[in-house]
Amino acid sequence: MGRKSLYFLVLGVLVACYIYTSPPDIFEEPWKLMLINVQLKTFVHLRKLDAHRRAVFFVHGGGWCSGSPALRNYDLLSRWTAERLNAVVISIDYRLAPKYHFPIQFEDVYNALRWFLRRNILENYGINPERICVSGDSAGGNLAAAVTQKLFSDSDANIKPKIQALIYPALQPLDLDSPSYQENSDMPILPKSLMVRFWSEYFTRDRSLEKAMLSNEHVSAESSHLFQFVNWSSFLPERFRKGHVYNNPTYGSSELTQKYPGILDVRAAPLLADDSKLRGLPQTFVLTCQYDVLRDDGLMYVTRLRNAGVQVAHYHVEDGFHGAISFPQLKISHRVINQYISWLKENL
Ligand SMILES: *[C@@H]1O[C@H](CO)[C@@H](O)[C@H](O)[C@H]1NC(C)=O
């Protein structure tokens, strides 16, 4: 007997063993029943294999006032992530400004995350509860960082993400004049004026907040203690501080922060969390771009997380600008997305 026929014989016996059951003689159509049984058995086996799938809970950007998982760039990103990681990607919608203001966006995302992180939901999707990432870009990075902080301080959240990934996140509206705001105030895609507009509209339609933010005088002296958490003079690496002089904040009247306390709320400004809160956070990926007003927010979070003992992977894109992942027609988009997905592949 040739080697090939031997293989076929062995294979045949194995298949027969997998299929064959011995139903009582009284059953009619025993072979059909056996085939149905095999289908069910196979389904259960495949489900078990799938139960080790990873998941990415993704929050899209767009200044809290635009964007959707259905936009072509986000849809492509979700598909690529799902394919390359064999992961389940949950890309969520949330209510947007100017119709809805903080904390609606935060709450929508947090509620969706809590809904998702339930054992029966994860089982339905075949997800391994120990391999979940919370991720987002820009305003979505802000929301991803904020809900992750909240989740890790929530004592009745049993299932927690393994890692978080923040792509050029916005992390604080207190100091809107850091070196990256100064250097990139006229950059394409996200000039300073637009970012200030996004921040102020996250809280209100009242244009007087935007005006005060533009002159960086929207926080009053009563909140001066919060500036220690966003002090670029102590948290930026030397090369990013170079050529800039740190001035202590200029304080405004307390009227605006009283009317819009969200400005000082850690759910809107994850950099305002104190070290004890940062200490419990999971391993973190932060991507920053050199030519981006939000660069220093990301850089400061990297320093603060590392100071608190959190493991951080920081990728700085030297020729990057805000929104770089969102333009599949540009080469840089693929380069940055590859870095992000490769990191997830290794760490999730
Ligand atoms: C910021 O840090 C610098 C030195 O690192 C310090 O001199 C300054 O007082 C700090 N300012 C605030 C508001 O924390």
Side-chain angles (χ1 to χ4, degrees):
M1 197 163 48
R3 191 171 258 197
K4 251 190 199 155
S5 7
L6 185 65
Y7 284 147
F8 277 118
L9 184 67
V10 171
L11 190 67
V13 170
L14 289 177
V15 170
C17 289
Y18 188 69
I19 294 175
Y20 188 75
T21 42
S22 51
D25 290 344
I26 192 162
F27 285 8
E28 62 179 16
E29 305 185 290
W31 282 101
K32 273 194 197 165
L33 181 61
M34 266 189 251
L35 283 180
I36 292 169
N37 187 45
V38 158
Q39 280 170 6
L40 290 176
K41 207 156 82 170
T42 309
F43 179 71
V44 171
H45 287 161
L46 288 178
R47 281 290 291 260
K48 272 196 189 143
L49 279 181
D50 265 2
H52 296 288
R53 277 204 294 193
R54 306 180 263 201
V56 176
F57 180 93
F58 186 82
V59 192
H60 72 77
W64 304 279
C65 68
S66 66
S68 144
L71 285 182
R72 187 176 128 79
N73 61 313
Y74 287 122
D75 185 54
L76 280 175
L77 180 64
S78 295
R79 286 167 193 275
W80 289 332
T81 312
E83 251 169 49
R84 284 193 43 197
L85 299 176
N86 184 28
V88 175
V89 175
I90 309 283
S91 182
I92 61 150
D93 250 324
Y94 49 91
R95 285 172 289 173
L96 299 170
K99 189 162 180 204
Y100 300 98
H101 296 288
F102 174 86
I104 295 285
Q105 287 83 342
F106 170 88
E107 281 171 359
D108 280 356
V109 176
Y110 192 64
N111 290 337
L113 181 62
R114 286 303 305 271
W115 173 86
F116 175 60
L117 293 179
R118 286 185 308 178
R119 221 160 271 285
N120 59 332
I121 301 293
L122 299 177
E123 251 166 45
N124 280 347
Y125 287 104
I127 294 165
N128 180 342
E130 278 159 22
R131 300 180 78 184
I132 297 168
C133 172
V134 173
S135 168
D137 71 310
S138 192
N142 165 279
L143 291 162
V147 297
T148 302
Q149 285 185 0
K150 168 100 171 126
L151 193 75
F152 276 77
S153 59
D154 194 336
S155 59
D156 44 63
N158 301 321
I159 300 175
K160 302 210 161 75
K162 182 185 182 197
I163 56 180
Q164 63 175 336
L166 313 174
I167 300 167
Y168 36 73
L171 296 168
Q172 57 86 27
L174 265 73
D175 185 354
L176 302 174
D177 203 31
S178 68
S180 62
Y181 271 99
Q182 293 174 31
E183 290 167 16
N184 304 297
S185 69
D186 295 320
M187 274 296 142
I189 319 291
L190 188 66
K192 172 174 171 170
S193 54
L194 184 59
M195 190 59 227
V196 167
R197 179 85 186 263
F198 284 155
W199 268 123
S200 71
E201 288 209 337
Y202 190 22
F203 305 110
T204 176
R205 280 175 199 248
D206 175 357
R207 301 299 285 273
S208 59
L209 178 60
E210 184 185 351
K211 240 179 105 194
M213 280 180 159
L214 272 173
S215 55
N216 212 30
E217 290 177 12
H218 50 295
V219 179
S220 72
E222 286 136 67
S223 309
S224 60
H225 62 287
L226 293 176
F227 281 91
Q228 61 176 304
F229 299 123
V230 297
N231 186 341
W232 59 260
S233 167
S234 36
F235 298 131
L236 285 192
E238 158 74 22
R239 62 170 278 221
F240 299 101
R241 272 185 279 136
K242 229 170 37 204
H244 294 274
V245 179
Y246 184 83
N247 294 313
N248 278 317
T250 317
Y251 300 111
S253 87
S254 58
E255 194 189 321
L256 286 170
T257 40
Q258 265 163 15
K259 253 167 128 175
Y260 313 112
I263 303 168
L264 309 174
D265 192 311
V266 71
R267 294 171 301 166
L271 259 170
L272 295 184
D274 62 25
D275 287 1
S276 68
K277 194 160 180 195
L278 298 185
R279 218 163 279 140
L281 291 176
Q283 191 186 349
T284 302
F285 167 97
V286 179
L287 188 130
T288 50
C289 291
Q290 178 65 17
Y291 301 97
D292 178 2
V293 289
L294 296 178
R295 178 193 74 201
D296 295 345
D297 283 18
L299 293 173
M300 287 194 278
Y301 208 39
V302 169
T303 306
R304 291 213 47 219
L305 287 171
R306 284 185 177 152
N307 288 350
V310 176
Q311 207 183 327
V312 180
H314 175 215
Y315 290 79
H316 185 66
V317 187
E318 293 293 347
D319 60 345
F321 49 89
H322 195 82
I325 65 159
S326 287
F327 306 99
Q329 64 273 44
L330 300 180
K331 283 189 207 145
I332 190 170
S333 192
H334 297 268
R335 187 160 25 104
V336 174
I337 288 173
N338 276 339
Q339 272 186 333
Y340 161 69
I341 295 185
S342 303
W343 186 81
L344 288 180
K345 209 165 181 179
E346 267 174 42
N347 294 283
L348 181 55

